[in-house]
């Protein structure tokens, strides 16, 4: 059976190392694989380079390898790396259970940069976030995107993240990486929320097709389409906004709205030109209305234009990968502003006009009855 999204629909996908290149699964153009000896030990003919899940540089970082600032530091680093290599050489061959081997459809293999390397579509290579970032620099972003049109890449958090924090997955989606793993212990962190909103599309099934610019698509099958250069957004009002942490009691909130784009080459932190921040409404979380201080009370706030980057990818791919982030905060002059709710919407699902925008809490749970009313226009 051919491994396609349709064929594996409704099935559990098992990924891992295998004793054989493939077994007991009939695939077009794939030869039968070597067998396992009794006890699950690979035969001598089944030599295979496996994926190194514990990246040497990551393990070295955890054990104390740092930037050498003196000959003593350099010597210590070399000593740690030598111990790691010795540990790898002394490692015993891995045994594989035939039953588990037979159902492992996504095979973990080591990355081979050789042009002659032969890869199958079901084989996956894992990189730590630091290794993936270095691949972007080594191959350039365009080169890494082209590589990920040929291979299946999994990115996972650095072992040095002992606090279970996360990296921003958008950087690796931009590089075309298919499986971007995160630490789910940090359930309220921004990176994990971004990941959850990304995969809410497609029926929340866990699969989202990459934009055409990230896939190996024949030119004859590419249908050019015109996409906006950006969008204009105006926040009109809100309704039934929650209190911080969804508390029942406490002071009445003083809400304001922050809106910006998250996508390839877009850096909201770079300034106020690519984000919208409304003014604060005092003591009104039930039905705040944002209006311009210089406009009549009945008119909505002026539009703020949010532009998407076009220097790295085609306009279609940039638009399809980017997301609009709308967040609501409670102004607190004495300390940090409190998070009230947010929503992140892929730009390709946006429609022009006055739109109802539901809000979610920091754990990506829908806040019943709370929403923002916005007006959206596309910029050609």
């Amino acid at each position: 059976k051919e491994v396609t999204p349709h064929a594996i629909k409704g099935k559990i996908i098992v990924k891992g190392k295998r004793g054989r290149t493939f077994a007991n699964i009939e695939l077009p153009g794939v030869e039968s694989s070597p067998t396992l000896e009794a006890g699950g030990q690979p035969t001598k003919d089944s030599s295979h380079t496996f994926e190194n899940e514990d990246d040497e540089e990551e393990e070295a970082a955890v054990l104390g390898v740092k930037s050498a600032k003196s000959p003593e530091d350099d010597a210590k680093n070399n000593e740690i790396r030598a111990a790691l290599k010795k540990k790898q050489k002394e490692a015993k061959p891995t045994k594989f259970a035939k039953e588990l081997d037979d159902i492992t459809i996504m095979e973990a293999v080591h990355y081979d940069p050789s042009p002659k390397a032969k890869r199958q579509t079901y084989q996956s290579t894992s990189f730590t976030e630091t290794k993936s970032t270095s691949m972007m620099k080594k191959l350039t972003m365009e080169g890494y995107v082209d590589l990920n049109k040929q291979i299946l890449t999994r990115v996972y958090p650095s072992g040095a993240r002992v606090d279970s924090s996360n990296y921003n997955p958008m950087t690796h989606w931009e590089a075309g990486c298919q499986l971007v793993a995160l630490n789910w212990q940090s359930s309220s962190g921004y990176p994990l929320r971004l990941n959850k909103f990304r995969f809410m599309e497609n029926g929340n099934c866990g699969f989202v097709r990459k934009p055409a610019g990230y896939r190996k698509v024949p030119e004859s099958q590419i249908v050019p389409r015109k996409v906006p250069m950006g969008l204009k957004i105006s926040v009109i009002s809100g309704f039934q906004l929650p209190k911080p942490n969804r508390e029942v009691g406490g002071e009445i909130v003083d809400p304001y709205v922050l809106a910006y784009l998250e996508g390839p080459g877009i850096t909201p932190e770079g300034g106020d030109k690519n984000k919208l921040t409304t003014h604060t409404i005092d003591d009104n979380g039930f039905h705040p209305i944002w209006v311009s201080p210089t406009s009549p009370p009945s008119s909505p706030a002026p539009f703020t234009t949010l532009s998407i980057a076009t220097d790295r990818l085609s306009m279609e791919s940039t638009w399809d990968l980017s997301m609009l982030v709308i967040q609501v905060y409670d102004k607190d002059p004495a300390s940090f502003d409190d998070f009230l709710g947010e929503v992140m919407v892929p730009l390709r699902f946006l429609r022009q006009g006055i739109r109802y925008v539901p809000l979610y809490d920091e754990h990506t749970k829908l806040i019943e009855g709370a929403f923002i009313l916005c007006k959206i226009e596309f910029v050609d």
Side-chain angles (χ1 to χ4, degrees):
K1 211 173 185 181
E2 188 176 0
V3 181
T4 64
H6 181 73
I8 62 178
K9 185 177 181 180
K11 297 180 174 62
I12 297 174
I13 301 174
V14 179
K15 171 192 172 295
K17 301 177 184 179
R18 307 185 71 257
R20 297 161 289 177
T21 55
F22 218 87
N24 297 343
I25 299 179
E26 297 180 1
L27 291 173
V30 178
E31 298 179 358
S32 59
S33 305
T35 59
L36 293 177
E37 294 178 348
Q41 183 67 32
T43 63
K44 294 181 180 180
D45 294 333
S46 62
S47 58
H48 190 60
T49 304
F50 298 113
E51 170 193 54
N52 185 8
E53 292 283 357
D54 297 321
D55 183 85
E56 180 180 332
E57 289 299 321
E58 283 297 311
E59 189 172 352
V62 175
L63 293 178
V65 169
K66 302 177 181 178
S67 300
K69 298 181 180 179
S70 67
E72 290 77 10
D73 290 341
D74 198 28
K76 184 178 180 180
N77 290 344
N78 291 335
E79 183 180 342
I80 294 176
R81 289 194 173 94
L84 287 173
K85 290 182 179 180
K86 182 180 180 182
K87 177 182 175 182
Q88 290 177 349
K89 289 181 180 180
E90 294 176 350
K92 296 180 179 180
T94 304
K95 290 187 177 182
F96 298 88
K98 181 180 182 300
E99 294 79 7
L100 180 60
D101 214 51
D102 291 344
I103 64 171
T104 302
I105 194 173
M106 189 177 294
E107 180 184 353
V109 299
H110 184 72
Y111 170 63
D112 186 352
S114 171
K116 297 181 180 180
K118 295 181 179 180
R119 293 288 298 255
Q120 299 291 348
T121 56
Y122 54 80
Q123 292 177 327
S124 169
T125 294
S126 289
F127 297 130
T128 62
E129 56 176 292
T130 49
K131 178 65 175 179
S132 180
T133 302
S134 69
M135 293 284 285
M136 299 176 198
K137 297 177 181 178
K138 182 178 180 180
L139 302 177
T140 72
M141 184 63 81
E142 291 78 7
Y144 199 19
V145 169
D146 289 339
L147 174 66
N148 285 323
K149 291 179 181 179
Q150 312 292 332
I151 71 173
L152 193 62
T153 301
R154 166 180 168 261
V155 182
Y156 60 99
S158 165
R161 290 184 179 271
V162 294
D163 59 348
S164 297
S165 60
N166 279 310
Y167 53 90
N168 191 325
M170 182 61 74
T171 304
H172 304 277
W173 292 335
E174 179 185 354
C177 300
Q178 294 88 349
L179 307 171
V180 182
L182 298 173
N183 288 318
W184 280 65
Q185 300 94 319
S186 305
S187 61
S188 61
Y190 178 81
L192 188 58
R193 302 201 312 265
L194 177 65
N195 182 80
K196 288 182 178 180
F197 277 111
R198 164 59 67 190
F199 289 96
M200 278 186 180
E201 58 178 291
N202 198 20
N204 205 25
C205 71
F207 290 91
V208 174
R209 188 172 70 165
K210 295 199 296 185
Y214 289 92
R215 293 180 280 118
K216 191 175 181 181
V217 181
E219 292 187 7
S220 58
Q221 297 182 12
I222 297 178
V223 180
R225 60 189 176 89
K226 184 179 179 181
V227 297
M229 295 288 292
L231 58 91
K232 292 181 178 180
I233 179 171
S234 176
V235 178
I236 300 174
S237 63
F239 193 69
Q240 291 191 344
L241 303 182
K243 296 181 185 295
N245 301 317
R246 303 184 69 171
E247 296 177 353
V248 177
E251 297 181 355
I252 300 175
V253 297
D254 305 319
Y256 70 90
V257 178
L258 172 66
Y260 58 90
L261 297 180
E262 181 78 61
I266 302 174
T267 54
E269 299 82 7
D272 295 331
K273 293 183 178 180
N274 211 33
K275 64 182 179 182
L276 161 68
T277 304
T278 68
H279 66 280
T280 302
I281 302 292
D282 294 330
D283 298 331
N284 190 350
F286 180 71
H287 186 35
I289 299 176
W290 284 274
V291 295
S292 170
T294 59
S295 301
S298 60
S299 64
F303 281 107
T304 294
T305 301
L306 305 179
S307 302
I308 62 175
T310 60
D311 56 337
R312 290 181 178 175
L313 305 167
S314 67
M315 284 298 301
E316 293 90 341
S317 295
T318 304
W319 181 264
D320 289 345
L321 193 60
S322 299
M323 302 177 73
L324 171 63
V325 182
I326 300 177
Q327 299 176 323
V328 185
Y329 289 90
D330 175 25
K331 189 69 175 179
D332 190 343
S335 62
F336 295 104
D337 297 341
D338 295 313
F339 175 86
L340 300 182
E342 72 179 348
V343 69
M344 304 183 194
V345 185
L347 295 191
R348 61 196 185 93
F349 289 140
L350 284 180
R351 297 294 182 267
Q352 297 190 87
I354 297 177
R355 297 295 166 185
Y356 159 95
V357 181
L359 295 176
Y360 296 76
D361 65 15
E362 61 179 1
H363 299 289
T364 328
K365 301 295 183 181
L366 179 65
I367 305 174
E368 297 288 346
F371 65 88
I372 294 293
L373 204 62
C374 299
K375 186 173 183 180
I376 294 175
E377 291 185 6
F378 293 153
V379 179
D380 296 325

